[in-house]
Amino acid sequence: MNRNKLTKRFLLLSAALTMALGQSAFAGETVALNLDDAMLRAFQTNPTVSIAQYELDSARASYNAARQSRGISISANHDSNRSGNNDAPKNITNTHSNTLTAALPIFTGGKLSGSIKQAKANYQYNEVGVQRAYNEMRSTVTDGYFNMLQADNIQKLSAESVTRLEDHLKNVQAQYDVGVVAKVDVLRSQVELANAKQTLIQAENAYQVAEANMNKIVGLPMDTTLKLDNLLVYNAYDKNMDDCLAYAAEHRPELMQAKYGVDAAKGALLVARSGHMPQVSASATQALGSDHWLGDNRTKWYAGINVKMNVFDTGVTLSKIHGAEADLKKAEATYRDTVNAVNLDVRSNYLGLREAEKRISTTKLAVEQADEDYRIAQLRYMSGVGTNTDVLDAQVALTQAKTNYTKALYDYNTSKTALETSIGVPMSNPATAVKVQAAKTAKAVKAAEEKTEEAAK
């Protein structure tokens, strides 16, 4: 492939990746966004996940250091000294010495194994913490997405209410002009229309706030106009309560973290108890020294076993043991409390989901009934057998019924997200999605190039 083709391919690939994964938007730009796009943008721009990953990297390094402390350690030391005698000022001596020592722990009374156990548990805790950060960010993005959809629906319902009242006012005004109805009907309709316009203004403001919040979550300029896919629909959830509780017991990150907290406390207790045990190590030393730099004459070597044991420390070690035992009991109590909290969380979200599910069917029927009631009230009023109050009441009832239906859909979808988060449904690492998307884009670019070259032939 010549240089021009290589350059062209690189530019095409860069452009495609920028379009697929671009994180920025110009001020006032309109961005079409589905839930998957919102997830990817949030994961790439929000620092929460990055912080969790850095904490994991730090814990991994500490775990590696703890495991490697079982091996041989080699240290080197150099001393250079110049000495003399006050009574013989010309008698000056130079000494240069070097020592190279290799040491290997043989028995530490549980100190090393306890440190390794503690570091491993801390690493596992932070490993789960990354998954927890992903799950919680997924919940944040989904809630923000559905909140904006809800605000948009309420805004549209308020606009529909204003339109209906404007049309009704025209009918009332026309009948008043020919002397069929009283002035009070016109005034009452005007008041209801003014109130509906106030509600619309509030709904429009709520939508703008929801849109700004969504922009913040996904890392876009606050004045970006978002066009979201409407996901505020009903999709049945097939798991029962027992399924959810069983899944949470195996997958909820907080439960796993609480368990690793117990393991870390057990490791810390081993370290504390090692203070009453002998410490045995082997060492070998080669010493070199002379009166000239660098002091490289071979002089002595040493090899041996060192045994050290704490005989009396005024109760310091015992106090550390008592403290570690208390920390272990605290970690065990925290685990039990976390189990109860998770079970309550799952039950609450599951019941909230089913309650919203029931409201969807009842409010949907109420919308149909309210729509028919409004149509009949209008016909009766225009025929002279109904009252203006009947029409206005029916209009309010219709708007409320539609609002209740929209809210039921919103509550159902957000409850589903909360339930999935509470049982620990894992959110896949978006970095994988980025790599997959990049691979797909590169493949598409290559296919397009091949197709163009084939056509040229």
Side-chain angles (χ1 to χ4, degrees), residues 26-104:
F26 293 106
E29 183 182 355
T30 298
V31 175
L33 203 64
N34 59 36
L35 189 55
D36 290 337
D37 294 336
M39 292 284 184
L40 189 56
R41 285 179 178 274
F43 281 124
Q44 290 176 327
T45 59
N46 197 289
T48 303
V49 174
S50 299
I51 292 172
Q53 186 62 56
Y54 294 143
E55 290 175 344
L56 175 61
D57 294 341
S58 176
R60 182 189 293 112
S62 297
Y63 179 36
N64 289 336
R67 289 187 299 172
Q68 291 159 355
S69 62
R70 285 185 179 275
I72 296 175
S73 62
I74 300 176
S75 60
N77 184 64
H78 172 83
D79 286 316
S80 291
N81 297 290
R82 186 178 179 88
S83 61
N85 192 322
N86 291 333
D87 295 331
K90 293 184 179 181
N91 188 12
I92 298 175
T93 304
N94 296 322
T95 59
H96 305 279
S97 62
N98 301 281
T99 57
L100 190 66
T101 302
L104 176 69

